[in-house]
Structure formats: structure tokens, C-alpha cells
Amino acid sequence: MSQTRRVYLDYSATTPVKEEVLKEMIPYYTEKFGNPSSLYTIGLESKAAIDKARAQVAGLINADPAEVYFTGGGSEADNWTLFSVANAMKTKGKGNHIITSKIEHHAVLHSCQFLEKNGFEVTYLDCEKDGTITPESLEAAIRPDTILVSIMFINNEIGTIEPVEALAKVAHDHGILFHTDAVQALGNTHTDVKKMGIDMMSMSSHKIYGPKGEGALYMRKGIKIPSFIHGGAQEMGKRAGTENLPGIVGFGKAAELAGENLDKHIKHCTDIRNYLLDQIKKNIPDVVVNGNMEHRHPGNANVTFEYIEGESILLLLDSFGIAVSTGSACSSKSLKPSHVLTAIGVPDEMIHGTIRFTVGDFTTKEDIDYVIECLTKVVSRLREISSVNSKKGW
């Protein structure tokens, strides 16, 4: 098949770095390369750049700059929260029970599984068929020894936005800390950590048109947990290691742009996403959209194409220059069915026919028209040759 154009529809996996962000970063690879811990001028200039970026990230979530700690990514922020809170609370005799959900990112799930092997108890909450975690289910799971609740803000596979504010209130009513993995939420929905009652929140730069390898943990003032990485006194004494100066500067600029363009971004992505879904339903029979349509990531369209394999769809679309995902990028090499789709009750055979499309700032209606043209051909051809279809008893 000849490749006539390239269309990227996997913005939840990663985003391109915007030109304004790259322009801001480049000087910090060259003439502004000073170590922020140094006391001479070039070092102090680097320190000032980090302070500016910290304020930019804080501004996006309505936090105080001193509550933002830069990390190597969202996964590190998740690990830091879970391990440090768990160990600190257990040491203080507060308990050893953690509550999370069955649809979390693996950075949370695998951390919880590790903690279970080391004397902690974890409750994994079920969700509704649309992926929603209800405050009632959280309330029912709380025990006297519960020390932390960690529920993601927006699911990375099906796009469902969780009722974070209500969940945090339940946790606080019992004196329990509330953490949320907001990697998919940052820059895709209005986020006010103070209004929502969030105690700790994980973020990542490369989901908001910033560089990879840079993230942050929001930690509300008054919360005192141990460092996760030990060594120097960087990040207000909480996260050792010479700072990734260009990455932090890029994250700050990306956060600033995300805040300035948030409403425009949400509207554009929602309109393009809805157009994509409308065209899929119009042109292709036997499809199911997964996730909550009312409370949803603006760019997410998670679609099951019955009777065929999603991996085959992905590979054939790639031959047309179209990039999509069969799930989250972090687990795409696994042959196991998506744990998220399993949790919402999708049968295994249908899970394997699921594609995640995610649109972004650079996606156009013309891109979608091209995708629909190619997708219609791909699905039709695969169903023709499929050994399992509706007529043959899928």
C-alpha cells in the first residue's frame, strides 16, 4: 500500500514538542547550561529558570510554586507517592491499607503490587461499565487502617474522567490522604487542586506538548513524606539529582501554553473527536464506543470493532501513514487483554478488536476524513478474511 500522508492519532501516548517550547529550551542546552546548585551567575540564572518553570506549572493547577516538585516523569511521581506515604504511615503506626482502582496506570498498579509483597494490604476498587469509580464504592472500602487513596483523574485508555473532587472528599472525611495520577488530565481539563481537595498529584510534561523525561509531583503544604531519590538537596531537599534544566524549562513553557489555550484546546479536540466518532458510526457497522461520553477526555475515542483484531487494524492503518494505539503505549507490547477493558466488562474477544484514537491540537477535519477512508477499507477487508465474525459465531 502506498503511503500518501501521515496522520498521528495517538496523542495520549505522547505529544510533539511545540515550537514555542523547543525555542525556550534550546538556550539551556548551550549558553545557559549552568548547574542550578552553583552560586555563581550562570548557576543562579539556571536556578531562576527553574523557579519560573515551577511557577508556570503551579499556575496551571492553582497550586503554590513551593508545592510543585519536579521529577523524571509521571511514573516516578506515582512511585514516590505510594512508597513514601506507605512507609511513612506504617512507621508512624497509622496503618498499612491502601485503596486504588482496577483501572489505574501500571505505574500505580505495579507499585501497589510491590507494596503487597512487602506487608501492605491493597483494595482494588471495581468501576462502573463506563469506567467511573463511585464515591460510594470508595466509602465502602475504607477501613480504620487505610492510609492512602490513589485514584486516577482521567483514564488513559477509555478517557473517563473520574469524580476526583467527590472521591477526595470521601477520603478527607476519614482523615485519609488523596492522590491522583493526573498525567492524562493535565492540560485536558480544568484542574484546581485546592478546590478539588487533592493532596498529591502526578503530572507529566510530554502529554502537554512538552519534552519527555520530565514530570512533577504536586504535594500540598503540610504533607511531609520522605524523599524517593536520595543524594543532594535539589528540589527543596526532596528529590536528589542535578535537575534536567532544559526539560524543566520546557515543561514550564508547555504548562503556560496549556493554561492560555485550555478552553480552545478542549473545544477543538472535542469537536474533532466527535466528528471522528460520528463518521466511524456512519461508515462502519458493529462498533462499540467504550467509556463515559459525558465526562471524558476531549480527545479520546476508544472503539471496539467487532469480529477482527485491533493489532491488524493498527498495522494496516500504519501502512497508510496513520498512527493509532490498541491501548496504552506502556502496555502495548503485552499480549494480555487490557486490564481497563476487562474491568469494565468487555469480553476478551472484543477487547482484542479495540483501537484507541486520540486527537490533539494539530489534528484537522481533513485528517479525519482521510482516516475514515482508510479505516473503512481496512475494517471491511479484515472482516472479509476473518475466521471469526458475526455469521460464524464470534
Side-chain angles (χ1 to χ4, degrees):
M1 298 181 189
S2 61
Q3 182 173 311
T4 58
R5 62 187 294 174
R6 294 177 66 88
V7 178
Y8 183 75
L9 292 184
D10 203 14
Y11 280 82
S12 280
T14 194
T15 58
V17 174
K18 287 189 173 179
E19 289 185 11
E20 303 96 317
V21 173
L22 182 59
K23 182 179 179 181
E24 196 89 356
M25 293 172 63
I26 287 176
Y28 292 92
Y29 285 110
T30 53
E31 68 267 22
K32 298 182 179 182
F33 59 87
N35 189 316
S37 296
S38 301
L39 297 179
Y40 41 74
T41 300
I42 192 172
L44 295 175
E45 289 174 345
S46 296
K47 173 69 164 53
I50 290 177
D51 291 342
K52 178 183 176 181
R54 200 183 310 279
Q56 289 169 317
V57 173
L60 182 58
I61 62 174
N62 191 30
D64 294 330
E67 297 174 312
V68 174
Y69 299 84
F70 288 114
T71 67
S75 291
E76 182 190 322
D78 286 339
N79 277 252
W80 183 5
T81 298
L82 288 159
F83 292 139
S84 294
V85 170
N87 289 317
M89 290 296 186
K90 187 176 181 181
T91 299
K92 294 177 181 179
K94 300 291 186 179
N96 70 335
H97 178 236
I98 297 167
I99 299 174
T100 187
S101 80
K102 292 181 178 179
I103 62 170
E104 298 297 310
H105 188 276
H106 283 119
V108 169
L109 291 178
H110 289 172
S111 294
C112 286
Q113 290 162 9
F114 181 86
L115 287 169
E116 285 183 292
K117 295 177 182 178
N118 288 272
F120 291 88
E121 296 183 33
V122 181
T123 295
Y124 299 89
L125 297 179
D126 290 318
C127 61
E128 302 297 297
K129 290 187 179 297
D130 64 357
T132 301
I133 308 298
T134 67
E136 293 77 14
S137 67
L138 173 58
E139 180 76 44
I142 289 176
R143 306 181 339 197
D145 60 343
T146 303
I147 54 175
L148 176 67
V149 173
S150 180
I151 306 292
M152 69 193 328
F153 200 136
I154 297 182
N155 185 266
N156 52 302
E157 290 193 36
I158 60 176
T160 296
I161 300 177
E162 301 299 342
V164 170
E165 186 172 349
L167 294 168
K169 184 179 185 304
V170 172
H172 292 163
D173 286 346
H174 294 269
I176 300 167
L177 292 173
F178 181 84
H179 164 259
T180 186
D181 179 331
V183 166
Q184 294 294 335
L186 193 70
N188 285 306
T189 188
H190 290 274
T191 303
D192 185 328
V193 291
K194 294 178 181 177
K195 178 179 180 294
M196 293 179 170
I198 296 169
D199 296 309
M200 288 171 284
M201 187 172 82
S202 303
M203 299 169 275
S204 184
S205 164
H206 77 105
K207 307 293 188 177
I208 60 167
Y209 307 91
K212 296 174 181 62
E214 191 58 50
L217 176 65
Y218 159 76
M219 191 186 313
R220 178 177 53 77
K221 282 182 181 178
I223 295 176
K224 296 180 180 179
I225 61 172
S227 301
F228 185 56
I229 296 178
H230 301 275
Q234 292 88 355
E235 287 307 293
M236 298 170 279
K238 285 294 187 181
R239 199 270 189 181
T242 301
E243 298 91 339
N244 173 12
L245 181 59
I248 289 172
V249 168
F251 189 7
K253 184 62 176 180
E256 179 184 89
L257 293 174
E260 292 173 351
N261 301 318
L262 185 57
D263 290 331
K264 179 181 178 182
H265 165 80
I266 291 173
K267 184 180 187 309
H268 170 77
C269 290
T270 301
D271 289 346
I272 294 291
R273 187 272 314 280
N274 289 344
Y275 180 67
L276 169 64
L277 287 175
D278 289 344
Q279 291 302 307
I280 288 176
K281 294 173 185 177
K282 179 180 177 181
N283 290 278
I284 302 173
D286 299 324
V287 298
V288 178
V289 180
N290 303 300
N292 187 304
M293 287 307 302
E294 182 180 359
H295 304 289
R296 190 184 191 95
H297 183 297
N300 177 287
N302 186 288
V303 183
T304 297
F305 298 87
E306 297 189 60
Y307 324 126
I308 51 178
E309 290 284 335
E311 187 172 277
S312 298
I313 299 174
L314 181 153
L315 294 174
L316 288 176
L317 287 179
D318 185 51
S319 72
F320 285 109
I322 301 167
V324 298
S325 172
T326 53
S328 66
C330 300
S331 60
S332 60
K333 295 180 181 179
S334 172
L335 296 177
K336 295 180 180 179
S338 158
H339 69 285
V340 175
L341 296 180
T342 298
I344 64 173
V346 180
D348 284 0
E349 63 271 17
M350 291 182 65
I351 290 175
H352 287 296
T354 300
I355 293 290
R356 182 188 69 178
F357 305 88
T358 40
V359 306
D361 284 350
F362 302 114
T363 311
T364 66
K365 185 177 178 181
E366 290 71 27
D367 288 334
I368 300 305
D369 289 337
Y370 175 69
V371 169
I372 294 300
E373 177 187 347
C374 298
L375 180 64
T376 302
K377 295 176 182 177
V378 165
V379 172
S380 177
R381 177 56 180 156
L382 287 174
R383 283 178 174 169
E384 284 178 6
I385 63 176
S386 176
S387 61
V388 283
N389 57 44
S390 58
K391 295 179 181 180
K392 296 179 180 180
W394 173 284

